[in-house]
Amino acid sequence: MEDLRHKLVKAGLEWEQAFGNAPQITTVLSEFDAAQLIGCTIHEYSEIMQGVSAVQKGFDFKYKGSRYQVKGNRPSGKPGSFVTWVPKATNYEWDFLIWILYNREYDIQEAWLWEVSTYVSAFESVKRLSPIHHRQGMKLR
């Protein structure tokens, strides 16, 4: 299982090179990477994700009793491409949010953790979030 992430990234980058657009793998990679950042092993992650739907309401995964919502961004690599917008959580049915910024090759550049009440206080009235907003959280990487 340890090599699956590498294979997925390799296939995604090859697809992007061949067809000009990247397959939507950022979500699954960011959830997997977020779990690892908080200490969840590959085998634990596999176990907790069994039977989970991609449209699960409220949170992406649960680990050690806490519910995690994950957001990830990756620049396209096109000239002048860099991340200026970060998706905002649309519900608050989670305990922690983790935001991950990747480079073009899906290497983690930075990761930030937010507790739900702090996130709501900071961003409930903000219409458009940027990396600058998320960098006010607790740095994981």
Side-chain angles (χ1 to χ4, degrees):
M1 278 197 302
E2 287 77 14
D3 196 35
L4 285 175
R5 185 190 189 284
H6 173 75
K7 288 178 183 178
L8 178 59
V9 168
K10 184 175 187 282
L13 292 174
E14 288 174 1
W15 182 282
E16 183 178 28
Q17 185 175 24
F19 301 113
N21 61 341
Q24 296 187 15
I25 63 173
T26 305
T27 298
V28 294
L29 285 174
S30 63
E31 290 171 12
F32 173 79
D33 289 339
Q36 294 217 300
L37 286 168
I38 59 167
C40 184
T41 69
I42 292 172
H43 296 287
E44 287 173 317
Y45 184 72
S46 174
E47 191 173 299
I48 63 176
M49 294 306 287
Q50 296 303 313
V52 172
S53 165
V55 293
Q56 175 175 274
K57 184 176 167 63
F59 60 95
D60 295 311
F61 66 90
K62 193 172 189 176
Y63 180 64
K64 293 189 175 180
S66 293
R67 299 166 301 168
Y68 290 86
Q69 174 76 307
V70 181
K71 302 291 182 189
N73 290 95
R74 170 192 176 256
S76 69
K78 309 264 187 289
S81 168
F82 53 94
V83 173
T84 60
W85 170 78
V86 176
K88 186 175 178 179
T90 57
N91 72 69
Y92 302 117
E93 299 173 36
W94 41 269
D95 302 301
F96 298 97
L97 180 136
I98 297 174
W99 175 64
I100 300 175
L101 178 64
Y102 293 99
N103 65 12
R104 191 190 167 301
E105 290 78 30
Y106 296 98
D107 298 316
I108 298 173
Q109 299 304 291
E110 53 188 280
W112 300 86
L113 178 75
W114 284 86
E115 189 273 327
V116 67
S117 64
T118 308
Y119 185 92
V120 172
S121 295
F123 305 134
E124 189 170 36
S125 64
V126 178
K127 300 241 186 268
R128 180 181 164 94
L129 297 181
S130 73
I132 293 167
H133 291 103
H134 277 81
R135 290 177 180 132
Q136 297 169 35
M138 186 180 109
K139 189 170 189 171
L140 294 176
R141 187 167 203 185

